[in-house]
Amino acid sequence: MTIIDPMQIGDRELTEEEEIYKENILDHYKHPRNTGTLPECTVHHHEHNPLCGDRIEIFLTFTDETCTDAKFVGQGCAISQASMSMLSEQLKGKTVDDIKRITSDDILSLLGIPVGIVRIKCALLSLKTVHVGISHWENFTNSATTSPHSVKFTETGELP
Amino acid sequence: MIFQQTLHVEQLKSDFPILAQQVHGKPLVYLDNGATTQKPRRVIEAMNTYYHEYNANVHRGLYNLSAQATHAYEESHRKVAEFIGASFEEVIFTKGTTESLNLLAYSLGNTLQPGDEIVLTQLEHHSNIVPWQQLAKRKGLVLKYIKLTPDFHIDLAHAREIVTPRTKIVSVAHASNVLGTIAPVKELARIAHDNGALFIVDGAQSVPHMPINVREIDCDFFAFSGHKMYGPTGIGVLYGKRHLLERMDPFLFGGDMIREVHFTHSTWNDLPWKFEAGTPNIAEAVGLAAAIDYLTGVGMRHVQEYEADLTAYAHQKLSSLKGITVLGPKGARGSVLSFTIDGIHPHDASTLLDREGIAVRGGHHCAMPLMGLLGITGTVRASLSFYNTHEDIDKLAAAIIKAQEVFGV
Ligand SMILES: Cc1ncc(COP(=O)(O)O)c(C=O)c1O
């Protein structure tokens, strides 16, 4: 991951290109893509950032190792929510391994504006939720005798 | 406005070296004084001088440097005592408000029985909730919270209802770090004492902004932090009534707090040292003394009056903006202004204000239960000091409008 300069955000006027990204972030914030829940999903996970109160809950469906549906509900600042909205658009059609290979840098380049050290947690909450959700699911399926894809979560996110 | 003349704000501002800088190419407007205040030159220099000229451990060495350090360290207790109307033995140095409150929860906790009740208010900082929650869990105690009125004051009628002879401790924030509510501490002290309970005041947000006299309040304990009153981090105070401190167990054990140590038992040192185990924060104590000298020079009465005027101006200015909701009481209040901006999360607002050189806090301000009660996850908070000006408030308002333009709200 690139070293983050704490002074990076806001230490200069944004370039024209970054201005476009900023508009894009605001657009995703106001009109988030792929919001909603999937009661019959494969991976259901919730993370929050206690410092900010940002919350993200994801619902991912995998069919034969490939993500066939991704939804989320969330609450929080523009950066956290836009980041999740943008990430959600990337997930469908990707394999579990593809998704595991998404890096923090990928998220930052999706956002496209400099994110300083104070906001980096907001920016990366989306990826954390997806990665932790997948790893819980894998740990669970590895220790269970059932085949991974037969595991279903109930609507409340509890294991049946 | 009258006091702007008596206070010479621009001159006071120049006592704070950090305030002269630019942030993102704009002059710094520091409005996060509730989190920590900036330090005047004389505080920084006093600590420097200590390290340059008389650094030594206290209460130990029999040589000149140690005698100087010990004198300065004890003198700092004396200055704090005078500043809050206490006596020397009643002033214990801690790391800050949080440690002071933990000390109380531990030490007073030893005397409580299952079923005993502790009463707090709904607007407390986490540091005046969590230590009591943990104690309640350990000892089987009951926690109760005094409600706020719809206009964000402490509901005294509710306090009278829930403080009963079962109540052993009542602990409240003197000034809220979120709402600016000032608790009616004298009345609460009476209610607590009428029921035989101890009365604790968290003065973290009041000591920097108003004259304090612990005897007038008649609190049993009073806690505050050096870094919020223009002193250094790492030092805070616990005041306690002498007869209570004498009966209490120490919280930390080790060097300095003992009189005699035997292989089988030990006896405790005199107050206040009984509660100050280990090598203390000497430079910080020296810095705190310098901060008190500084505040005394400015005059807490002047500070209070100037800040009241500035707060009223800021309240009116912010309330006049569209899409802004200012939380907290109207009229007499502390210099903390929390607000929400329709359509802009507090963190996004803080980031955008930062780009204008304005430092404010966005978030839950260590008062998550209160946020829950208000039905929000956070606020933007501007907390004012005597070095802030009307111009700072105008810049804040302009920057908010600019942020609203960016978000198109
Ligand atoms: C009302 C109140 N109480 C307690 C504290 C804790 O102070 P400290 O972090 O210095 O221990 C704060 C600081 O934010 C506060 O505002």
Side-chain angles (χ1 to χ4, degrees):
Chain A
M1 208 176 95
T2 42
I3 308 258
I4 296 145
D5 174 1
M7 300 307 288
Q8 205 179 20
I9 194 159
D11 61 347
R12 55 182 166 77
E13 291 300 309
L14 296 181
T15 62
E16 215 169 293
E17 192 189 22
E18 287 165 349
E19 283 292 345
I20 295 166
Y21 277 114
K22 190 185 79 186
E23 286 309 315
N24 192 28
I25 288 176
L26 289 173
D27 181 53
H28 274 269
Y29 175 56
K30 290 181 189 167
H31 312 286
R33 325 292 198 263
N34 299 311
T35 57
T37 62
L38 295 173
E40 289 280 298
C41 64
T42 329
V43 173
H44 175 197
H45 188 66
H46 170 250
E47 285 280 337
H48 87 286
N49 180 350
L51 203 67
C52 318
D54 293 341
R55 292 177 179 281
I56 292 176
E57 188 175 2
I58 48 143
F59 304 83
L60 307 177
T61 306
F62 286 95
T63 312
D64 300 329
E65 293 288 325
T66 300
C67 180
T68 49
D69 206 357
K71 292 238 182 286
F72 81 98
V73 288
Q75 175 191 332
C77 66
I79 294 188
S80 70
Q81 301 305 306
S83 153
M84 186 63 232
S85 172
M86 291 171 177
L87 176 58
S88 75
E89 292 186 314
Q90 307 286 316
L91 298 176
K92 258 184 262 181
K94 284 209 166 57
T95 65
V96 175
D97 286 338
D98 289 339
I99 294 173
K100 278 166 38 182
R101 276 195 292 269
I102 299 175
T103 66
S104 307
D105 276 347
D106 295 335
I107 301 292
L108 296 179
S109 60
L110 277 178
L111 287 168
I113 58 163
V115 176
I117 197 145
V118 283
R119 303 302 301 278
I120 193 76
K121 278 216 167 92
C122 311
L124 297 181
L125 184 67
S126 58
L127 188 63
K128 182 182 177 191
T129 312
V130 170
H131 279 175
V132 174
I134 287 180
S135 98
H136 281 186
W137 166 58
E138 288 185 329
N139 288 343
F140 177 77
T141 50
N142 287 343
S143 63
T145 50
T146 45
S147 101
H149 306 302
S150 69
V151 179
K152 293 278 185 263
F153 289 78
T154 64
E155 213 158 331
T156 57
E158 302 300 321
L159 287 169
Chain B
M1 292 309 276
I2 314 160
F3 290 97
Q4 211 157 7
Q5 276 121 44
T6 54
L7 214 50
H8 301 296
V9 175
E10 285 307 327
Q11 198 183 318
L12 291 178
K13 201 167 169 177
S14 71
D15 294 335
F16 293 77
I18 205 171
L19 296 177
Q21 72 183 287
Q22 306 242 318
V23 172
H24 307 320
K26 313 262 166 66
L28 168 64
V29 175
Y30 186 76
L31 297 174
D32 196 17
N33 296 288
T36 197
T37 53
Q38 298 304 343
K39 320 306 173 198
R41 195 171 287 106
R42 89 187 264 176
V43 167
I44 302 165
E45 280 172 4
M47 294 173 71
N48 249 327
T49 304
Y50 164 74
Y51 279 127
H52 273 118
E53 294 175 16
Y54 60 100
N55 171 54
N57 212 324
V58 293
H59 298 146
R60 295 177 194 189
L62 300 171
Y63 46 88
N64 177 281
L65 286 190
S66 178
Q68 282 188 60
T70 302
H71 175 75
Y73 186 66
E74 296 193 352
E75 195 54 26
S76 177
H77 284 73
R78 226 163 263 122
K79 281 192 172 145
V80 170
E82 197 179 328
F83 192 64
I84 60 169
S87 60
F88 173 77
E89 315 79 58
E90 297 174 318
V91 170
I92 296 158
F93 281 177
T94 63
K95 185 159 78 66
T97 309
T98 303
E99 185 181 310
S100 298
L101 293 169
N102 274 273
L103 187 162
L104 290 174
Y106 174 87
S107 187
L108 297 173
N110 288 344
T111 65
L112 302 183
Q113 304 301 323
D116 284 351
E117 297 183 0
I118 295 175
V119 173
L120 313 171
T121 79
Q122 286 179 332
L123 56 61
E124 299 308 316
H125 187 275
H126 294 164
S127 63
N128 196 28
I129 300 177
V130 186
W132 305 115
Q133 262 175 357
Q134 291 302 109
L135 176 65
K137 228 195 257 177
R138 269 200 318 275
K139 306 274 291 192
L141 313 177
V142 179
L143 281 192
K144 293 192 168 168
Y145 295 89
I146 303 170
K147 285 188 192 148
L148 301 182
T149 62
D151 54 351
F152 304 102
H153 290 290
I154 307 287
D155 187 341
L156 276 175
H158 188 240
R160 287 193 189 91
E161 220 172 278
I162 66 169
V163 177
T164 69
R166 282 192 302 280
T167 311
K168 298 297 179 249
I169 291 169
V170 177
S171 187
V172 304
H174 194 177
S176 160
N177 66 316
V178 180
L179 298 173
T181 303
I182 306 288
V185 281
K186 288 184 198 169
E187 287 82 350
L188 288 165
R190 208 168 308 125
I191 294 169
H193 292 154
D194 285 350
N195 286 280
L198 293 170
F199 184 56
I200 300 169
V201 176
D202 166 359
Q205 298 290 348
S206 63
V207 175
H209 302 289
M210 60 178 81
I212 295 291
N213 186 306
V214 290
R215 301 236 193 278
E216 264 173 37
I217 296 171
D218 195 25
C219 52
D220 298 298
F221 301 96
F222 192 97
F224 56 102
S225 298
H227 70 97
K228 293 186 197 284
M229 54 183 293
Y230 310 96
T233 53
I235 192 151
V237 176
L238 175 63
Y239 154 83
K241 281 182 181 163
R242 187 190 179 127
H243 71 277
L244 295 170
L245 292 176
E246 277 169 351
R247 296 207 316 259
M248 283 160 57
D249 293 331
F251 171 47
L252 296 170
F253 301 89
D256 244 15
M257 54 77 63
I258 39 78
R259 174 168 294 124
E260 283 175 27
V261 177
H262 306 272
F263 282 117
T264 51
H265 65 281
S266 304
T267 55
W268 311 142
N269 201 343
D270 293 334
L271 288 172
W273 318 126
K274 169 179 153 185
F275 289 97
E276 293 188 10
T279 300
N281 291 337
I282 306 163
E284 287 71 16
V286 168
L288 179 60
I292 288 177
D293 286 342
Y294 183 83
L295 284 173
T296 307
V298 177
M300 290 311 294
R301 207 42 88 191
H302 287 155
V303 166
Q304 187 180 30
E305 281 161 355
Y306 175 76
E307 289 180 357
D309 170 65
L310 187 65
T311 304
Y313 178 73
H315 197 292
Q316 177 261 322
K317 184 98 191 177
L318 291 171
S319 308
S320 74
L321 301 179
K322 72 168 174 44
I324 302 283
T325 310
V326 183
L327 302 166
K330 298 189 173 59
R333 66 191 325 286
S335 58
V336 169
L337 290 156
S338 266
F339 53 95
T340 55
I341 309 174
D342 292 349
I344 309 183
H345 189 278
H347 286 133
D348 297 323
S350 307
T351 298
L352 291 172
L353 294 182
D354 182 50
R355 293 179 59 175
E356 302 301 313
I358 300 172
V360 293
R361 176 120 175 235
H364 57 57
H365 316 298
C366 297
M368 287 168 116
L370 175 62
M371 292 294 132
L373 196 71
L374 300 172
I376 52 181
T377 53
T379 70
V380 184
R381 182 185 74 178
S383 48
L384 315 180
S385 155
F386 56 77
Y387 48 57
N388 294 125
T389 60
H390 286 58
E391 193 192 341
D392 291 345
I393 305 303
D394 295 343
K395 285 183 182 165
L396 171 66
I400 291 170
I401 292 168
K402 204 164 162 187
Q404 289 173 319
E405 281 163 8
V406 169
F407 269 72
V409 292

